[in-house]
Amino acid sequence: MNNISIEVNGSIITGLQWGDNTKPVLLAVHGWLDNAASFVPLANALRNDLEDGSLPYQLIAIDLPGHGYSDHKAGHYNFIEWVDDLYQIIKTQHWGPVSIIGHSMGAMISSILAATFPELVRRIVLIEGLGAISAEADQTVSQLRKGIENRALYNKSINQNINQSTNRKDNALTLEKVVKARCFVSDLNEEHAKLICNRNLTINADEVSFCSDPKLKAGSLVRLSESQVIDILSSISTACLIIIGDKGFPLIAQTLNLELFCKENFKILTLSGGHHVHMDNAVKTARAVVKFVNN
């Protein structure tokens, strides 16, 4: 496993790389508040295939802007802009066309990229995520109001924290506390939560602080409508493997009942596991990925 750091239009994108770096890229894109480390169990399960050349790719897991060790955006985050970020990363690094493994939010933005720029995507594996979180048209104003108020609260809290910490150092934050908090609000076990949380923190001898951007928690101002999301998903022509966990998000499984997923290019696989099924069940996920990308 190698740490990588690349410059994309003046910003630094970090990540992890496995395998022969002369081979085409199998790009792994993580979920919201996760980072490249969420693919470590999958990479470990793929290690033999990466090392002996059975997998015709190198695996690169990136930290999206604001996540892990990557640079933060100057302003707030907009979901659809991550699609542009992914496009810029692939284009500036001359990686394309690539095969992509996306998880959760990473699967959403990867599916939109595949629909919009099919020439950049050879094959795509979507794990517990596709399209985008939608909202009804009559929720536009309430969503906008909520998002703007959310950002105002964030800005106020940042200013308060700066004022409060001017004359003192806050040592209350620990990796253990962050891991427990993450386990409490997700399906992650402690081992997997520690992998992710450790890469979202800067840990020194006398201080622990977040290196991921707290602005990530501010709400979206606008969401796509359901008809827009369906248009996106219907436009995917790339060979696509969709993996869901049998204990994953029910809404994703319900969405897969739509007629559009009967198209030949979609394959659906259910594995034992939760929303982070690629961590819970890394071996079977790895087998499915190898079979799919080698087909």
Side-chain angles (χ1 to χ4, degrees):
M1 179 176 72
N2 301 307
N3 288 297
I4 62 167
S5 178
I6 59 176
E7 184 176 343
V8 179
N9 298 331
S11 295
I12 299 300
I13 299 295
T14 54
L16 299 170
Q17 185 270 348
W18 295 264
D20 184 347
N21 62 11
T22 65
K23 289 190 174 181
V25 171
L26 175 58
L27 182 61
V29 187
H30 62 79
W32 181 60
L33 300 183
D34 287 354
N35 53 58
S38 65
F39 290 100
V40 169
L42 181 64
N44 288 338
L46 287 171
R47 181 171 292 153
N48 288 339
D49 293 296
L50 288 165
E51 290 177 352
D52 69 11
S54 299
L55 192 68
Y57 296 92
Q58 58 171 309
L59 176 63
I60 294 180
I62 57 169
D63 296 322
L64 287 167
H67 296 78
Y69 301 143
S70 284
D71 281 353
H72 299 180
K73 288 183 178 289
H76 284 273
Y77 295 82
N78 183 315
F79 169 79
I80 209 69
E81 287 180 358
W82 271 308
V83 181
D84 180 45
D85 290 329
L86 195 55
Y87 170 86
Q88 296 295 339
I89 290 167
I90 294 170
K91 290 291 285 186
T92 60
Q93 302 310 301
H94 307 287
W95 285 347
V98 298
S99 290
I100 303 178
I101 306 171
H103 169 246
S104 194
M105 184 186 79
M108 294 181 191
I109 65 176
S110 298
S111 65
I112 298 174
L113 180 81
T116 312
F117 297 98
E119 70 276 12
L120 292 183
V121 185
R122 279 196 183 100
R123 288 178 175 265
I124 186 168
V125 180
L126 305 177
I127 302 173
E128 279 284 308
L130 60 158
I133 298 173
S134 63
E136 296 296 331
D138 61 6
Q139 295 175 332
T140 302
V141 172
S142 60
Q143 178 70 30
L144 182 58
R145 179 186 176 95
K146 182 180 177 182
I148 290 174
E149 289 178 339
N150 197 311
R151 291 184 178 187
L153 286 172
Y154 164 79
N155 292 332
K156 182 178 178 181
S157 69
I158 287 297
N159 290 332
Q160 286 176 341
N161 289 339
I162 291 172
N163 292 333
Q164 291 171 1
S165 62
T166 300
N167 297 316
R168 67 179 177 85
K169 185 176 288 185
D170 186 357
N171 293 317
L173 192 65
T174 65
L175 175 59
E176 290 71 23
K177 287 181 180 179
V178 175
V179 167
K180 285 182 180 180
R182 185 64 194 269
C183 288
F184 183 75
V185 298
S186 71
D187 67 341
L188 290 164
N189 62 38
E190 193 166 308
E191 177 189 357
H192 293 156
K194 189 172 183 179
L195 268 176
I196 293 170
C197 292
N198 192 57
R199 193 172 175 86
N200 279 338
L201 297 171
T202 298
I203 302 175
N204 297 317
D206 59 346
E207 185 178 9
V208 175
S209 60
F210 281 101
C211 56
S212 57
D213 194 341
K215 296 197 302 291
L216 292 167
K217 295 183 179 180
S220 298
L221 299 186
V222 178
R223 285 182 175 166
L224 298 176
S225 67
E226 184 176 352
S227 60
Q228 287 176 308
V229 175
I230 289 175
D231 178 61
I232 288 168
L233 294 173
S234 300
S235 299
I236 297 174
S237 57
T238 305
C240 178
L241 172 64
I242 301 172
I243 299 176
I244 60 172
D246 61 0
K247 302 176 187 65
F249 287 172
L251 183 59
I252 296 171
Q254 292 169 20
T255 303
L256 291 175
N257 291 323
L258 293 172
E259 186 177 350
L260 69 92
F261 292 108
C262 294
K263 289 165 58 180
E264 270 187 18
N265 60 306
F266 288 111
K267 298 184 186 301
I268 299 170
L269 175 66
T270 301
L271 295 176
S272 175
H275 183 58
H276 286 77
V277 63
H278 63 307
M279 301 183 82
D280 300 334
N281 201 340
V283 171
K284 287 190 177 179
T285 303
R287 288 174 185 164
V289 168
V290 169
K291 182 178 180 181
F292 179 68
V293 300
N294 281 350
N295 188 1

